[in-house]
Amino acid sequence: MSFVPLKPTAIKERVAMVFLEYGQLDVIDGAFVLVDNSGVRTHIPVGSVACLMLEPGTRVSHAAVKLAAAVGTLLIWVGEAGVRLYAAGQPGGARSDRLLHQARMVLDPELRLKVVRKMYDLRFGEPAPQRRSIDQLRGIEGARVKSMYAGLAQQYGLVWRGRRYNPADWEAGDRANQCLSAANACLYGITEAAILAAGYAPAIGFLHSGKPLSFVYDIADIIKFETVVPVAFRIAAKKGLNPPERKVRQGCRDIFREQKVLQRLIPLIEEVLSAGGVDLPAPAPEAAPPAIPGPTIIGDIGHRSG
Amino acid sequence: MIVVITESVPPRLRGRLAIWLLEVRAGVYLGKVSKRVREMLWLQITKLAEDGNVVMAWSTNNESGFEFQTHGQNRRKPVDFDGLRLVAFTPMEDRKTS
């Protein structure tokens, strides 16, 4: 009997996400399986999904988490409407050169401004106004985003009182805000999977800071208004779809495919971080390469293989 | 690309499919046909399969890259996960009653 190791595949070759509810996630004959309480087994092609969203009512075995980690799939535990609670299974930090590069860009005020200006450019399709501080740019972005929300709400005939939501009291938010939260959760899930797969840290953000997913919000914001926000408003405007989460997820899945979001995310991250014009740090001259070279990878650079 | 997999279908259908497709293993057929031919094949399958069961899969431009449809009874049934189609495997009937 021979042993063939499992390897992660590239994020761009995967399906965006699968939401799982009610059942035990386990490994049967080496396959990732959701078993419900009547014994029905649903095979999940875990290695071909960027992130698995585990909803209330799921239990996960040790073997299942091990398999998800081996194939580089992010597990995200979510609560109501798919809003994220906790994630594991695809640890980041595998690439010290990427982490140091990202940290250097944030720590140097000049480089950080360049990156933030690049984000602005990519987000709005025009260069950021000259001689503005990051704080001023953040203010301009906030105002533009507010008017974009209001414009979309008007377009879909929705009453809009601003982006308001309370994670602790889900029902308090209005329908449009609930749809937005559900759609954002999908975008944040795949964005986090892409950031980890590219070898960067989700917590080290440029515009956002102080949160475990600061960089995820930075990157997701760039493409949010061309992907998930119109989907959320469109679903919110349809009456009689209660609860609307399923339709939101379907809509997100469709828009991710149409806009090739999984293919675009890692190049987008690289483009943003290259705005500073600084190369990846080279290893110290006396640094010795690993004694045992790692296996060749067919996935992304940040995936740990084996 | 199209794949047809048959289970306990009459030899008549097996032979019929082999007119257009390549039988690479018992009951497993491969080919590359247009949508129109695929629909003609499906019509033949539904008419000739009798008590057997068939699954047909073909490449499309959706997220999975393929689509599939089934005919007849099988313990594996297609399920929808928010727009992504997967397969659920039902346990044996006698286990359910115990």
Side-chain angles (χ1 to χ4, degrees), chain B residues 53-64:
Chain B
N53 66 84
V54 181
V55 59
M56 173 192 270
W58 62 94
S59 19
T60 54
N61 189 23
N62 65 7
E63 196 182 24
S64 311

Side-chain angles (χ1 to χ4, degrees), chain A residues 16 19 41 246 250 253 257, chain B residues 62-63 81-82 87-89 91:
Chain A
F19 281 82
R41 309 201 295 249
R246 265 177 206 289
Q250 246 177 55
R253 185 187 294 295
R257 190 191 81 238
Chain B
N62 65 7
E63 196 182 24
F81 276 73
D82 310 311
V87 167
F89 188 53

Side-chain angles (χ1 to χ4, degrees), chain A residues 47-152:
Chain A
S48 295
V49 183
C51 59
L52 285 181
M53 306 289 215
L54 311 182
E55 292 184 279
T58 51
R59 304 175 74 183
V60 194
S61 73
H62 179 281
V65 175
K66 182 180 169 216
L67 180 56
V71 295
T73 299
L74 187 65
L75 298 179
I76 302 180
W77 280 260
V78 297
E80 280 174 301
V83 173
R84 177 200 148 93
L85 301 167
Y86 179 74
Q90 212 267 79
R95 295 287 305 211
S96 67
D97 54 346
R98 312 275 152 155
L99 291 177
L100 291 168
H101 181 58
Q102 186 183 2
R104 177 209 268 182
M105 311 290 276
V106 177
L107 287 171
D108 183 324
E110 216 170 283
L111 294 178
R112 178 159 165 249
L113 180 62
K114 280 186 183 169
V115 170
V116 168
R117 291 181 64 86
K118 183 75 187 175
M119 286 174 169
Y120 186 104
D121 183 352
L122 288 167
R123 181 171 194 181
F124 299 113
E126 61 185 41
Q130 293 295 321
R131 289 186 296 279
R132 298 288 195 286
S133 70
I134 287 178
D135 209 36
Q136 287 168 321
L137 287 176
R138 195 184 281 124
I140 299 170
E141 288 205 21
R144 286 186 79 149
V145 163
K146 254 186 199 166
S147 73
M148 282 156 93
Y149 276 131
L152 273 166

